[in-house]
Amino acid sequence: MSITSITEVYVFVLAAFLGYQIVRKVPPLVHTPLLAATNAICGISIVGALVEAGAHQTRMSTILGVVAVTAATINIVGGFLMTDRMLKMFRPRAKPVARAKPATETNGRSPGSA
Amino acid sequence: MVRTLFIEGTYFAAAVLFILGLQSLTRTEGAQRGMQQAMVGMLLAVVGTLVNHGIVDYRWIAVGLVLGTVLGYPLGMLAPMTAMPQAIAASHMFGAIAATLVGVAEYYNARGAVGSATMTALGFETMLGALTVTGSFMAFGKLQGVVIDRPLTFRGQNAVNLGMFGAMVAIFIYLIASPVHPALFYTMLGLGLLIGVTMVLPIGGADMPVVISLLNSYAGLASAATGFAIGNNVLIIAGALDGASGFLLSILMSKAMNRSFANVLFGAFGTAPTGAAKTAVGLTVRSISPEDAAMQLAYAGEVIIIPGYGMAVAQSQHQVRELAEQIEKRGGTVKYAIHPVAGRMPGHMNVLLAEANVPYDRLYDMEEINAEFDHADVALVIGANDVVNPAARTDQGSPIYGMPILNADHAKSVIVLKRSMNPGFAGIENELFYAPKTSMLFGDAKSSLTKLVSEVKTV
């Protein structure tokens, strides 16, 4: 174990502890946006993917890297957009305006309702 | 030197912005802005990485980034709120694919000649990554209805799973001691992929909140392991945050479903219930007409609505809100009681109702609202079943015994909107439906609610 890897373990443990303490305070109201948000943040593995894709070490690692960059980008773009769309609904309103959307706007059909 | 400082600076900023972004979620005020800042953090980290010395060719990177954006945009923008669980499962899968492939590429480039510390990190990365890839894919399939939703079990399933898991761990330990065994490395990867499938197969739709949270945790840990492997702190921090968050959510969800902590850790949940503990023989239900139900609601002082997944399936959130508005217009108060596992992922029901413009301060958690049922005039149960089943409190033989439930039976009267008398997900009879104070309004939730709205208007 080198000194750097020990430092990394410290960082990991402290960040996990911090994450636990923060998430404990997140109200169940926004648990779904929370999952989407952590999911998006987790796309940070794009950092590793970019290096593999651009470093030209072997043909194989370039291919794997490009696929990884694509996948991570989907994760990041999709994740953050979902989070944003959901959090928009939980924005405190200045006054409770009943901005009623027509019911027909919902997606999909109700299965089985003939 | 300046370049290194810049790169490290972007990583540091990204880590701080991620933490602040999560912190902002503890309040609804500023949550959206906080997460937008986290998005900027991600962008900074990408820019920082792109100026890295090691990167010599940007063409393929551009292809990957463009392709990923083109595919990720519709995933993020078009998924309806009801489909949020599977959209997030899909997104998990892509994130895990990235982490796994980076691990494989690292191992491949080094031809296995890596130190034991790096091998440990790579092992965790590929194992957890692989497991998350297929696990999320299966979860996606089940939620989307591509893969059968009901639990799929076979004899000796646990033995097979444990055997595979044991083999994977054994290979991993062997590889740490002697890393240059590519065949073993790829076997480990393959086992991880297989375990992801077999882990989710026996799990039914109602258990999805636990699965999604757990996969979230695994995906985070895989990212953190990537960070250890390539020596990058921002990955470690982001992965640890995600891992801890998913872990905590799976504990919360498993508690809400009365599954033990060990069950969550080893993924051995979701075994199909052996059968109804109590049968409904000799019991009768009282059916009610929409007119009578509307009358009851119109004159109620306090109504608590208990929405379940059935409501979401029937796409009737908007009708629920309209009904609530009509009741309020007549002077009644309406609150919503949200069980932690209502819906298909943590917090799913809140999102579905918020989308229908239900003011989110009317949405109450189980702990907040349970005492209020005692003075509620009507508890209106819409497409929920197990979360209001008193058997969870009283019947030790019931598979859901011990699960915390909403005290719908404490209300002065109960109206249940239900398609038919089919038992719920767990296949358990619900005594509440046979209680003298309960009336059943049969039919599709959406059409029942539409009738109720128009009836309440005319009362």
Side-chain angles (χ1 to χ4, degrees):
Chain A
M1 273 294 237
S2 63
I3 295 297
T4 25
S5 39
I6 290 168
T7 315
E8 283 166 356
V9 173
Y10 268 102
V11 171
F12 176 77
V13 172
L14 290 177
F17 181 75
L18 186 64
Y20 191 89
Q21 292 302 326
I22 292 175
V23 171
R24 224 160 52 98
K25 295 201 196 83
V26 174
L29 182 70
V30 289
H31 271 172
T32 298
L34 169 73
L35 265 165
T38 51
N39 171 236
I41 288 172
C42 176
I44 187 71
S45 49
I46 192 169
V47 167
L50 287 170
V51 175
E52 296 299 339
H56 249 323
Q57 289 184 298
T58 57
R59 181 194 291 263
M60 185 64 169
S61 74
T62 308
I63 295 171
L64 292 177
V66 173
V67 178
V69 169
T70 311
T73 311
I74 296 176
N75 182 191
I76 293 168
V77 173
F80 275 116
L81 285 176
M82 282 187 251
T83 314
D84 197 60
R85 270 174 67 208
M86 285 189 277
L87 288 178
K88 203 185 288 171
M89 306 189 308
F90 293 106
R91 235 177 1 205
R93 307 156 208 226
K95 53 178 181 189
V97 277
R99 190 171 47 88
K101 266 194 263 176
T104 47
E105 216 175 274
T106 47
N107 298 293
R109 291 168 298 127
S110 50
S113 66
Chain B
M1 182 60 202
V2 177
R3 191 183 338 211
T4 316
L5 264 182
F6 173 73
I7 294 174
E8 289 304 321
T10 60
Y11 289 162
F12 183 73
V16 171
L17 288 171
F18 290 164
I19 292 168
L20 290 178
L22 282 191
Q23 171 79 44
S24 76
L25 288 176
T26 54
R27 296 168 59 196
T28 49
E29 215 169 303
Q32 195 187 9
R33 179 186 295 252
M35 281 316 298
Q36 283 166 349
Q37 285 162 354
M39 200 163 15
V40 173
M42 184 64 79
L43 205 64
L44 280 175
V46 170
V47 171
T49 310
L50 287 176
V51 301
N52 186 316
H53 278 291
I55 297 183
V56 291
D57 186 351
Y58 288 91
R59 286 169 304 170
W60 287 108
I61 289 179
V63 171
L65 287 175
V66 170
L67 197 61
T69 309
V70 168
L71 295 173
Y73 187 82
L75 174 70
M77 288 310 282
L78 301 182
M81 290 300 155
T82 39
M84 216 28 93
Q86 50 266 52
I88 289 178
S91 184
H92 271 150
M93 181 185 73
F94 286 113
I97 288 177
T100 313
L101 291 184
V102 171
V104 172
E106 287 274 311
Y107 185 85
Y108 180 88
N109 283 345
R111 296 183 198 292
V114 291
S116 57
T118 311
M119 188 59 229
T120 311
L122 284 179
F124 273 119
E125 183 184 347
T126 45
M127 278 192 306
L128 288 168
L131 195 144
T132 310
V133 171
T134 48
S136 301
F137 180 75
M138 294 298 294
F140 170 83
K142 285 199 172 213
L143 288 161
Q144 188 68 30
V146 185
V147 182
I148 48 165
D149 186 42
R150 70 185 167 78
L152 195 74
T153 47
F154 54 85
R155 275 177 69 88
Q157 191 164 31
N158 278 338
V160 171
N161 284 355
L162 272 177
M164 285 200 296
F165 187 76
M168 182 172 77
V169 172
I171 293 175
F172 176 44
I173 293 170
Y174 184 79
L175 277 171
I176 295 173
S178 126
V180 196
H181 283 100
L184 281 179
F185 180 82
Y186 295 116
T187 310
M188 182 177 77
L189 178 73
L191 281 171
L193 291 170
L194 262 177
I195 291 171
V197 175
T198 56
M199 190 180 77
V200 181
L201 261 186
I203 293 164
D207 289 344
M208 277 303 159
V210 189
V211 180
I212 301 266
S213 316
L214 201 59
L215 289 170
N216 184 261
S217 182
Y218 289 162
L221 294 177
S223 281
T226 311
F228 280 106
I230 65 174
N232 187 317
N233 280 332
V234 70
L235 266 81
I236 297 177
I237 292 170
L241 290 173
D242 191 10
S245 163
F247 186 62
L248 180 62
L249 284 179
S250 19
I251 295 174
L252 289 179
M253 289 304 114
S254 63
K255 268 191 191 149
M257 300 172 80
N258 193 35
R259 295 189 191 286
S260 78
F261 182 63
N263 259 342
V264 180
L265 268 187
F266 299 105
F269 42 83
T271 41
T274 43
K278 273 193 179 163
T279 52
V281 181
L283 295 171
T284 49
V285 295
R286 198 158 63 92
S287 165
I288 192 173
S289 69
E291 292 79 23
D292 293 340
M295 192 75 82
Q296 218 176 320
L297 288 169
Y299 292 109
E302 188 178 352
V303 177
I304 299 179
I305 297 179
I306 301 165
Y309 191 63
M311 183 207 71
V313 171
Q315 292 284 348
S316 48
Q317 301 91 295
H318 293 274
Q319 282 75 17
V320 172
R321 175 185 46 79
E322 277 180 54
L323 179 63
E325 279 169 6
Q326 288 303 325
I327 296 170
E328 282 171 347
K329 214 178 258 178
R330 301 188 55 95
T333 61
V334 178
K335 288 175 179 173
Y336 297 81
I338 313 289
H339 193 274
V341 292
R344 282 292 178 270
M345 66 183 297
H348 192 197
M349 194 53 67
N350 296 304
V351 170
L352 293 173
L353 291 171
E355 191 200 18
N357 280 315
V358 171
Y360 61 81
D361 51 8
R362 305 279 167 79
L363 310 176
Y364 291 87
D365 306 337
M366 186 164 59
E367 290 86 30
E368 291 175 321
I369 194 107
N370 252 350
E372 297 218 16
F373 279 104
D374 293 333
H375 41 88
D377 295 306
V378 182
L380 182 62
V381 181
I382 307 170
N385 187 348
D386 295 335
V387 297
V388 291
N389 193 342
R393 282 198 299 254
T394 53
D395 182 4
Q396 291 204 18
S398 172
I400 58 165
Y401 179 71
M403 177 173 118
I405 58 163
L406 292 163
N407 296 336
D409 54 334
H410 289 197
K412 292 189 189 91
S413 64
V414 182
I415 300 176
V416 180
L417 267 61
K418 206 170 176 330
R419 189 185 299 282
S420 67
M421 276 314 288
N422 284 336
F425 247 107
I428 313 153
E429 279 299 345
N430 193 336
E431 281 171 51
L432 179 69
F433 299 162
Y434 304 97
K437 63 174 150 189
T438 305
S439 6
M440 308 289 292
L441 178 53
F442 289 112
D444 170 67
K446 194 171 195 161
S447 57
S448 293
L449 282 163
T450 313
K451 279 182 216 152
L452 282 178
V453 172
S454 57
E455 289 295 331
V456 172
K457 270 184 197 163
T458 58
V459 167

